[in-house]
Amino acid sequence: MDLAHLLATVALGPVLLMQGRGVRKRTPRLPEAAGPRTGHCGSGPDLRLLIVGDSAAAGVGCDHQDDAVCGHLVRQLAGHHTVHWRLEAQTGRTTADTLAHLRSLPREPADAVLVSLGVNDVTAGLHTGTWLAQQAELVGQLRALCGAPQIWLTVVPPMGHFPALPQPLRGYLGAQARRFNTALARWARTQPDVTILDPALPLDQTLMASDGFHPGPAAHRAWAQAAANAIRASRFSEEATPRPAPPAPASAA
């Protein structure tokens, strides 16, 4: 913990605790998006896609997976590939929770993995060094679980712009999210199979869900577009033959 963060924690501790309790009490708990969590879609060379993470990856803020990051990403990739996709995400999951969940899964190859984690680690007060060590362990676990995929780690969103958070809690959590992202980007540069995905979304009220804490449908669509562009620009682009994207992903039989 750097000195500025330590001083802010000590000075603002009681206020931050009170505001955090208030946010949890008054913020509506939105459901995860309905719809299938595994399936196949498109035609062309196979691309096995795994999405893991927290409530954002689970589609909170959208009514159906078709409108969430998973559905948009699958449809966009399906114009070039037969996408075999799987979503392993749940509201409230931290990186440690995700590590425990992945240990329970059977080994299944994947070509591309999209990760969304960090918000719950920030709100839990996790130290930056601890979080970074857990992220490194997560990448190692994904390598073991999926073979040798390309892994895209989505940045922690700009929590300093979440409408649901009052000041000074908003600024405090926003600063910690930035520290997480800085540390993660520095580490990822040493990993040939890891890329940081930054959709660079201006999370104003128009892009947020009704709870002011999760991305809304427009943000999910932009996030998926950034992920699809990154995946198509990777080694899979050599195999791509553009085809019209089908209307929606089909669930696996």
Side-chain angles (χ1 to χ4, degrees):
M1 183 179 294
D2 62 38
L3 180 59
H5 184 60
L6 176 60
L7 291 175
T9 302
V10 173
L12 299 173
V15 175
L16 298 175
L17 182 61
M18 180 181 65
Q19 288 187 331
R21 288 173 176 170
V23 169
R24 284 190 292 271
K25 183 177 179 180
R26 67 175 174 267
T27 302
R29 186 176 176 85
L30 300 180
E32 297 179 357
R37 301 261 177 140
T38 183
H40 61 273
C41 185
S43 60
D46 287 339
L47 193 161
R48 298 162 298 185
L49 172 68
L50 173 64
I51 300 174
V52 301
D54 51 20
S55 54
V60 170
C62 299
D63 292 332
H64 196 276
Q65 292 295 343
D66 287 349
D67 301 315
V69 63
C70 180
H72 283 296
L73 179 55
V74 169
R75 286 196 300 278
Q76 291 176 38
L77 293 175
H80 304 268
H81 296 276
T82 299
V83 184
H84 304 272
W85 56 275
R86 182 162 54 111
L87 174 62
E88 298 286 349
Q90 187 176 55
T91 296
R93 274 190 184 155
T94 62
T95 303
D97 295 331
T98 301
L99 283 166
H101 176 69
L102 292 179
R103 292 186 194 104
S104 71
L105 298 179
R107 190 180 187 281
E108 185 173 336
D111 302 303
V113 180
L114 177 65
V115 177
S116 169
L117 288 167
V119 168
N120 296 313
D121 296 301
V122 169
T123 59
L126 204 65
H127 186 276
T128 304
T130 302
W131 185 73
L132 186 60
Q134 291 179 353
Q135 288 283 302
E137 184 180 354
L138 177 73
V139 167
Q141 197 163 321
L142 287 169
R143 288 168 178 155
L145 183 70
C146 304
Q150 188 70 25
I151 301 168
W152 282 267
L153 303 177
T154 306
V155 296
V156 183
M159 299 179 70
H161 296 277
F162 282 12
L165 300 175
Q167 293 289 14
L169 180 63
R170 184 190 304 179
Y172 178 85
L173 296 180
Q176 184 63 354
R178 290 192 297 273
R179 277 187 284 269
F180 275 22
N181 286 333
T182 298
L184 190 64
R186 186 182 303 117
W187 174 79
R189 286 194 290 269
T190 69
Q191 308 297 312
D193 57 347
V194 177
T195 303
I196 299 298
L197 180 71
D198 186 356
L201 300 178
L203 288 185
D204 58 29
Q205 190 66 53
T206 63
L207 288 178
M208 298 295 288
S210 60
D211 64 355
F213 196 84
H214 289 91
H220 277 268
R221 183 168 58 250
W223 178 15
Q225 183 64 65
N229 290 344
I231 292 173
R232 285 197 295 260
S234 73
R235 58 192 175 92
F236 304 114
S237 62
E238 299 177 0
E239 306 171 355
T241 303
R243 294 176 175 81
S251 62

